[in-house]
Amino acid sequence: LQKSLSEIFGADKYSRARKEVLTYMFSRPMQMALYFCTGVLDDETLFHHYALNVPFYTHFTSPIRRYADIVVHRLLSASLGARPPIKMEKEAIQKQADHCNDRKMASKRVQELSSDLFFSIFVRVRP
């Protein structure tokens, strides 16, 4: 597959741009991860990470980047006994997770539209 894609991308001055845009478009259908509060879900199979094949998984990055990561850090820290428990009901945590998911999806949609616009212009100006 990689060899076929490399041949399609070509070796001209636009090959790198073509590769980046098309690779991004190929990966678009992959399912996005969602934030959720485990306390509101009864089905523990939803905690499974498909690609890593682990039954329980949590993900976070540096808490300086996103609010959702700050919440995950605080909840994980509290669950490990390193800080006092969070004084939020699980429904309130889920509401925050839903809001973060909405913002993340909106941001991804804007990114996709921007890529679509770039690709359209790229195709139009390419001889």
Side-chain angles (χ1 to χ4, degrees):
L1 179 61
Q2 183 62 39
K3 182 180 176 190
S4 298
L5 290 175
S6 294
E7 290 172 6
I8 290 171
F9 296 140
D12 62 2
K13 66 180 182 178
Y14 296 112
S15 62
R16 182 175 177 189
R18 245 190 329 273
K19 180 179 180 182
E20 288 181 20
V21 170
L22 293 175
T23 301
Y24 173 76
M25 292 174 85
F26 293 150
S27 66
R28 210 188 275 183
M30 297 173 76
Q31 182 180 3
M32 267 181 60
L34 296 174
Y35 294 105
F36 62 90
C37 177
T38 58
V40 301
L41 299 177
D42 294 328
D43 184 2
E44 288 188 1
T45 63
L46 297 173
F47 306 167
H48 180 262
H49 190 286
Y50 177 79
L52 298 176
N53 195 26
V54 292
F56 299 101
Y57 177 81
T58 189
H59 171 81
F60 54 88
T61 59
S62 171
I64 63 169
R65 292 187 54 209
R66 294 185 298 238
Y67 175 72
D69 296 317
I70 293 171
V71 173
V72 172
H73 274 253
R74 289 177 181 168
L75 291 169
L76 187 58
S77 181
S79 72
L80 295 172
R83 64 169 285 146
I86 303 295
K87 294 181 177 159
M88 287 176 72
E89 296 294 323
K90 59 187 174 186
E91 292 78 11
I93 295 170
Q94 183 59 47
K95 186 176 179 180
Q96 288 294 322
D98 290 339
H99 178 74
C100 289
N101 290 330
D102 290 342
R103 297 295 85 216
K104 184 168 72 168
M105 284 188 209
S107 174
K108 183 167 176 56
R109 182 67 182 139
V110 169
Q111 181 181 6
E112 289 171 353
L113 291 170
S114 175
S115 292
D116 290 348
L117 177 62
F118 170 78
F119 187 67
S120 298
I121 293 168
F122 176 77
V123 169
R124 181 177 288 162
V125 300
R126 178 126 168 98

